Amino acid sequence: MHVCQRCVSLLLSRPLSAAGQQSTRALHQRSHLILLQHSTRQSPVHRLSQGHSRETWRHFTDHQAASPDVYNKTDLAQKKVVPLNSDVHRISSQVSLSDSQSIDLDAAVRASPLQEISEEEAVQIQVPSALPPESSTLRPYVDKSETLSKLVQLGVNLWELEQRPNVGSMLVRLDFHADVAPRLLFLKDLGVEESKLGRLLTKNPFILTESLDNLEARVSYLKSKKFSKQSVAVMVTKAPYLLNFSVERLDNRLGFFQKQLGLSAEKTRDVVTRLPKLLCGSLEPIKENLKVCELEFGFRGNEMQHIVTTVPKVLIANKRKLTQIFDFIHNTMDVPHSLIAKFPQVLNAKFLRIRERHLFLEYLGRAQYQPSQPNYISLDRLVFLPDDVFCSEVALAALEDFERFQKTL
Amino acid sequence: MTSQAVRLFRKMDGLFAVYKPQGVHWKHVRDSIESNLLKALNSCPPPAPQLAVQFQLLSGGENSSSKDVVLSPSMVPTLADHPLVTGPQFHKVHVGVGHRLDAFSSGVLVLGVGKGNGVLEHLCKSHVTRDYTLEGEFGKATDNFTHTGRVIEKTTYDHVTLDKLERVLAMIQGANQKALIMYSQVDLHTQEAYELAVRGLLYPHGKSPPILTGLRCIHFNPPHFTLEVQCVNETQKYLRKLIHEVGLELRTSAVCSGVRRTRDGPFKVENALTRQHWTAGSIIQAIAHFSKATRKIRKSGMYKQTAGQLNSSAQVQEQTRSQTEQINQEHVELSSSTSDTVVDRETPFH
């Protein structure tokens, strides 16, 4: 109260001249109000903890019940929110109404926030929403929105999602109980682990807008193709977009793989379970890769089948990189087709790694890739051992020597 | 109170050298180094979230009946500060590249991080030379001077001996010496110019074509041979063309099967980082290792800028040459060269 009086004395001492001073006056009134409210802020907290009080009083808070997607706290009806603007206008209008020569102190006293107002008046007060109507991030909405807070608690990366166009707005508009919860329960029934749900939703937020009937139809189609419940769960986890594709598309692709690769149904299921991305992407690059393997590389049918069942990634690998690796292995390292087909993992490795290790072995005189010869080094050991194990066991040299050799290439 | 991430970020300031593998574009090298540094920075624990007062419905209160649920305040961390909502702490680390290497070549590539990028500019303007090892092969000529290009002609090379090769190299060196003297804009009839030449401090000023300050053959085993080159203002394509011209001078043809940079100023291949060491820890160690050389480069660069304001060209040249000498004295040079030179040198090549 001591502070208010000082403010009031300030107002008194200031001579009033023109209407141009109205803004400063309004500011003074505003600060006056804020000071009053700060000093009275201690009392509301105590009041609340003592139980309900039907007394209505003015208190400026962040809370508003206007927007529909706000986490509802309906029992907070005791707090009434007052917009500062209307008070200021009222006061400033009162002041301007009065004579420009003197301040009407009664006006300021009349609009005390502790003044009791009737219920009807309280209900009519318009509450401005503190949430910005548009924002480039989801940060201002996370604390207020039930959907967004629950998603964060699940582990969904909201920052990554808001970089994608329109996804942020879509998430803010979702209703947790109507849209999100049924689909989460559906995924849980499917067998998807809870720890993986966050990553799944980060990769594919559109699963929350797909209709439940469609999702169930696709799952039942996959089960009708004799995919076990567990394998369906694994497929959905590995390829989050799987259930967004229509039944016809899934059917088309499964048929293509079975026909083209000439594999049995069991093996096709196995390949698709390990790499469900095959069902999601387009078929043209896969057809090109198959043609390249057959015509350019010269693999026979059964060799191709073995390669695809061991390393399905060859079907979606980059054609240029695959050609580079095969060219090096077949022409420079002189490894025949049969041996490559026996160890197809080598087609999945990094080209630089294969090149450096092979040249090191050649420099040491240990580059022997024929199984019939002594000191034979199998291709998978060449490629998949970590550096220190490779140096000690395969090359029989020190790691520093390998690094020094790398700097001479 | 700085966080762990900020302290780590402040250590990433300076120059270091990386061994670029063959077949890789220099941009990929720069991008993978930047992403490794960002990965290390963003794996540090994020700052503590802000707390906000929230009124929560909790049952019970001291003087209310037990059935009532009462609003009571508590401080909870705001979800707006959760790392899944704010995103990673660091989005970008400034990593710059010094003298570039094209995809066919390999070797020492100088990179600068953070404040080191300013020093990179001084390095590029300073009087440092670069050291290359060129592998050549007699017998064919291709369209892009490399052994992987389209073959244009094939020739015999039995008549080529080491003696003839050395003669050709000496001739090329002579031409380059003349170019060096011409572009360094000194009058060779003065005592000062002679002393500079003896100490090996001649350097082309302004724009100049590539100039080889040193050239010799270190390995000769027909059809393969290896040349060692010290040069200034070069491109790797020019060096491949050099191999081609050596072949032409010997009345045969030659292609280049490898260009390898072994030194870029004070950054040598022994201290360059190989691919396994492109992690934040090793990079910070390398920056610390090269900090002395970085400081010298920065000082010489700043000196040149202030000297430029003095507006005295002879003074500038003298001062910059003394700085260069200081930098060059840091280098452990190759053993004495075997090829002829026009100007008699006491010191080995730079």
Side-chain angles (χ1 to χ4, degrees):
Chain A
M1 285 302 129
H2 167 75
V3 177
C4 321
Q5 288 192 354
R6 206 203 300 166
C7 218
V8 164
S9 58
L10 246 175
L11 286 165
L12 271 176
S13 59
R14 231 169 205 276
L16 274 188
S17 48
Q21 280 204 0
Q22 185 137 6
S23 51
T24 32
R25 228 177 293 149
L27 269 171
H28 271 294
Q29 305 293 347
R30 197 175 193 164
S31 56
H32 182 66
L33 262 178
I34 290 176
L35 287 164
L36 275 174
Q37 284 155 10
H38 275 303
S39 56
T40 56
R41 201 173 280 225
Q42 309 308 315
S43 35
V45 172
H46 297 311
R47 275 202 189 170
L48 279 175
S49 59
Q50 283 163 16
H52 306 306
S53 141
R54 294 302 299 170
E55 218 173 77
T56 58
W57 39 271
R58 294 170 191 220
H59 181 76
F60 186 73
T61 63
D62 264 358
H63 177 67
Q64 67 289 321
S67 42
D69 53 347
V70 156
Y71 192 9
N72 287 323
K73 294 181 185 167
T74 47
D75 283 353
L76 292 175
Q78 308 314 313
K79 300 206 292 178
K80 300 294 172 198
V81 184
V82 169
L84 199 49
N85 298 330
S86 61
D87 267 281
V88 169
H89 287 317
R90 218 179 294 169
I91 290 162
S92 57
S93 57
Q94 281 170 359
V95 170
S96 58
L97 273 174
S98 66
D99 195 350
S100 58
Q101 305 304 316
S102 64
I103 310 169
D104 194 358
L105 274 181
D106 292 338
V109 172
R110 228 177 285 149
S112 159
L114 293 177
Q115 187 183 13
E116 291 179 26
I117 54 173
S118 62
E119 286 284 320
E120 299 80 31
E121 217 176 304
V123 164
Q124 275 163 21
I125 293 172
Q126 286 303 318
V127 177
S129 164
L131 285 186
E134 53 184 42
S135 144
S136 55
T137 64
L138 286 174
R139 277 189 79 192
Y141 306 115
V142 166
D143 283 306
K144 304 290 194 289
S145 159
E146 183 185 358
T147 324
L148 293 178
S149 355
K150 290 268 161 73
L151 285 178
V152 173
Q153 280 154 20
L154 262 180
V156 178
N157 195 334
L158 288 184
W159 181 79
E160 238 182 78
L161 285 178
E162 74 194 12
Q163 310 299 311
R164 291 164 69 168
N166 300 326
V167 172
S169 327
M170 180 198 84
L171 288 175
V172 164
R173 278 188 224 116
L174 287 177
D175 178 45
F176 185 73
H177 296 288
D179 300 323
V180 182
R183 284 167 183 82
L184 290 178
L185 287 169
F186 168 77
L187 286 173
K188 216 173 142 206
D189 286 336
L190 204 54
V192 178
E193 295 161 41
E194 287 197 19
S195 51
K196 307 272 172 68
L197 272 178
R199 181 188 157 271
L200 204 160
L201 288 173
T202 310
K203 289 273 163 71
N204 181 18
F206 301 109
I207 210 172
L208 298 171
T209 50
E210 193 72 28
S211 84
L212 270 172
D213 304 325
N214 281 346
L215 293 175
E216 278 170 22
R218 286 153 199 170
V219 169
S220 60
Y221 166 75
L222 285 173
K223 287 198 175 140
S224 76
K225 289 285 170 187
K226 301 202 195 97
F227 282 96
S228 74
K229 186 167 180 292
Q230 204 195 7
S231 45
V232 175
V234 163
M235 278 163 67
V236 173
T237 318
K238 279 194 188 171
Y241 275 100
L242 186 68
L243 292 181
N244 278 49
F245 289 109
S246 64
V247 174
E248 295 87 39
R249 195 174 154 137
L250 294 175
D251 191 36
N252 189 21
R253 269 161 184 62
L254 279 174
F256 169 80
F257 285 117
Q258 184 145 20
K259 234 182 351 161
Q260 201 71 1
L261 298 173
L263 296 169
S264 69
E266 176 66 43
K267 286 207 173 145
T268 321
R269 275 200 289 272
D270 182 53
V271 166
V272 170
T273 313
R274 278 160 61 199
L275 195 65
K277 250 200 288 188
L278 291 171
L279 297 181
C280 295
S282 122
L283 286 179
E284 290 307 319
I286 301 183
K287 287 183 196 165
E288 278 193 35
N289 271 20
L290 285 171
K291 277 268 157 349
V292 155
C293 281
E294 205 186 300
L295 301 173
E296 256 191 66
F297 299 170
F299 280 115
R300 288 195 299 269
N302 55 345
E303 288 175 340
M304 289 261 293
Q305 284 182 3
H306 180 78
I307 291 175
V308 169
T309 44
T310 328
V311 184
K313 214 170 167 200
V314 168
L315 291 174
I316 45 176
N318 187 341
K319 201 170 44 160
R320 195 175 43 86
K321 290 186 189 168
L322 197 63
T323 321
Q324 194 185 27
I325 293 175
F326 180 81
D327 174 50
F328 185 78
I329 296 179
H330 186 62
N331 297 330
T332 316
M333 287 165 68
D334 279 331
V335 178
H337 282 95
S338 49
L339 213 55
I340 301 178
K342 209 166 147 203
F343 297 109
Q345 308 94 325
V346 80
L347 292 171
N348 201 14
K350 297 273 174 214
F351 171 70
L352 274 175
R353 198 174 212 204
I354 305 174
R355 182 170 173 264
E356 282 172 2
R357 288 186 175 185
H358 164 72
L359 290 173
F360 187 51
L361 290 176
E362 205 179 27
Y363 175 73
L364 291 174
R366 283 186 214 281
Q368 182 56 262
Y369 306 114
Q370 304 297 330
S372 48
Q373 309 288 332
N375 285 335
Y376 160 65
I377 296 171
S378 67
L379 287 175
D380 58 341
R381 262 163 68 87
L382 172 73
V383 160
F384 277 130
L385 290 176
D387 273 338
D388 40 357
V389 181
F390 168 77
C391 285
S392 54
E393 288 184 23
V394 181
L396 304 173
L399 192 57
E400 294 84 32
D401 294 337
F402 184 50
E403 283 175 23
R404 246 178 275 159
F405 179 76
Q406 273 182 321
K407 292 191 202 174
T408 64
L409 289 179
Chain B
M1 286 286 282
T2 45
S3 64
Q4 186 187 349
V6 172
R7 269 176 287 158
L8 187 61
F9 182 70
R10 290 210 182 123
K11 287 194 204 153
M12 297 180 186
D13 272 327
L15 296 182
F16 65 102
V18 141
Y19 193 88
K20 184 188 93 70
Q22 199 216 16
V24 176
H25 197 277
W26 60 265
K27 250 190 226 168
H28 296 325
V29 173
R30 196 211 72 88
D31 289 340
S32 59
I33 297 245
E34 185 176 346
S35 58
N36 284 354
L37 290 175
L38 278 174
K39 225 191 299 185
L41 284 171
N42 290 325
S43 64
C44 294
Q50 283 180 353
L51 301 173
V53 175
Q54 229 184 43
F55 291 94
Q56 289 166 333
L57 291 168
L58 300 169
S59 64
E62 318 84 57
N63 31 1
S64 63
S65 53
S66 54
K67 283 261 182 72
D68 278 353
V69 280
V70 186
L71 284 170
S72 50
S74 52
M75 302 283 270
V76 280
T78 45
L79 277 177
D81 287 330
H82 196 278
L84 286 177
V85 181
T86 55
Q89 296 170 66
F90 286 88
H91 291 259
K92 189 174 166 84
V93 174
H94 289 284
V95 177
V97 178
H99 297 110
R100 299 190 288 260
L101 272 175
D102 63 352
F104 179 77
S105 330
S106 60
V108 173
L109 184 65
V110 178
L111 297 171
V113 195
K115 299 211 173 70
N117 286 309
V119 188
L120 262 186
E121 280 201 47
H122 295 319
L123 176 69
C124 291
K125 285 196 205 124
S126 70
H127 295 174
V128 289
T129 56
R130 285 166 288 287
D131 223 5
Y132 285 86
T133 306
L134 306 173
E135 312 265 332
E137 192 183 328
F138 290 121
K140 54 182 180 173
T142 57
D143 55 349
N144 61 356
F145 310 126
T146 64
H147 67 302
T148 52
R150 186 174 58 93
V151 176
I152 294 179
E153 66 173 4
K154 282 192 172 166
T155 56
T156 59
Y157 50 85
D158 313 320
H159 57 278
V160 177
T161 62
L162 181 61
D163 180 48
K164 289 187 189 163
L165 179 64
E166 300 260 332
R167 233 178 279 165
V168 165
L169 294 181
M171 185 208 60
I172 294 176
Q173 240 188 339
N176 274 285
Q177 285 290 335
K178 278 202 208 125
L180 177 63
I181 294 166
M182 189 176 72
Y183 281 97
S184 65
Q185 292 156 7
V186 289
D187 187 5
L188 208 53
H189 298 295
T190 59
Q191 176 65 17
E192 174 207 287
Y194 169 75
E195 273 173 24
L196 283 175
V198 154
R199 284 183 352 221
L201 292 177
L202 285 178
Y203 196 86
H205 281 283
K207 284 198 156 236
S208 85
I211 293 181
L212 311 177
T213 56
L215 175 62
R216 66 176 184 147
C217 173
I218 48 179
H219 189 67
F220 182 74
N221 181 22
H224 301 283
F225 65 100
T226 312
L227 299 181
E228 191 172 8
V229 169
Q230 288 94 34
C231 48
V232 146
N233 280 338
E234 84 293 353
T235 56
Q236 286 79 45
K237 197 167 178 194
Y238 176 80
L239 297 172
R240 293 197 283 274
K241 198 174 168 197
L242 174 75
I243 298 268
H244 172 81
E245 278 167 12
V246 162
L248 288 179
E249 289 290 329
L250 289 166
R251 276 171 251 209
T252 173
S253 49
V255 288
C256 178
S257 46
V259 176
R260 199 166 70 90
R261 187 194 275 164
T262 47
R263 182 182 63 82
D264 185 346
F267 299 94
K268 295 202 208 40
V269 76
E270 293 90 37
N271 305 314
L273 298 173
T274 48
R275 239 173 37 251
Q276 301 95 300
H277 296 295
W278 289 356
T279 56
S282 317
I283 291 175
I284 292 176
Q285 266 183 355
I287 291 176
H289 177 86
F290 283 114
S291 60
K292 214 167 153 201
T294 310
R295 225 177 305 143
K296 281 217 156 64
I297 299 172
R298 190 188 298 134
K299 266 198 217 159
S300 79
M302 277 165 33
Y303 201 72
K304 261 191 241 174
Q305 275 176 357
T306 53
Q309 289 159 14
L310 285 175
N311 235 350
S312 152
S313 63
Q315 216 177 0
V316 166
Q317 287 183 9
E318 178 57 46
Q319 284 160 350
T320 49
R321 274 174 192 142
S322 61
Q323 288 286 331
T324 325
E325 194 178 341
Q326 267 183 6
I327 295 175
N328 290 345
Q329 269 165 7
E330 299 266 314
H331 309 165
V332 174
E333 303 309 342
L334 313 151
S335 53
S336 54
S337 61
T338 53
S339 43
D340 309 328
T341 52
V342 170
V343 175
D344 191 30
R345 286 176 182 235
E346 307 271 293
T347 55
F349 288 117
H350 293 289

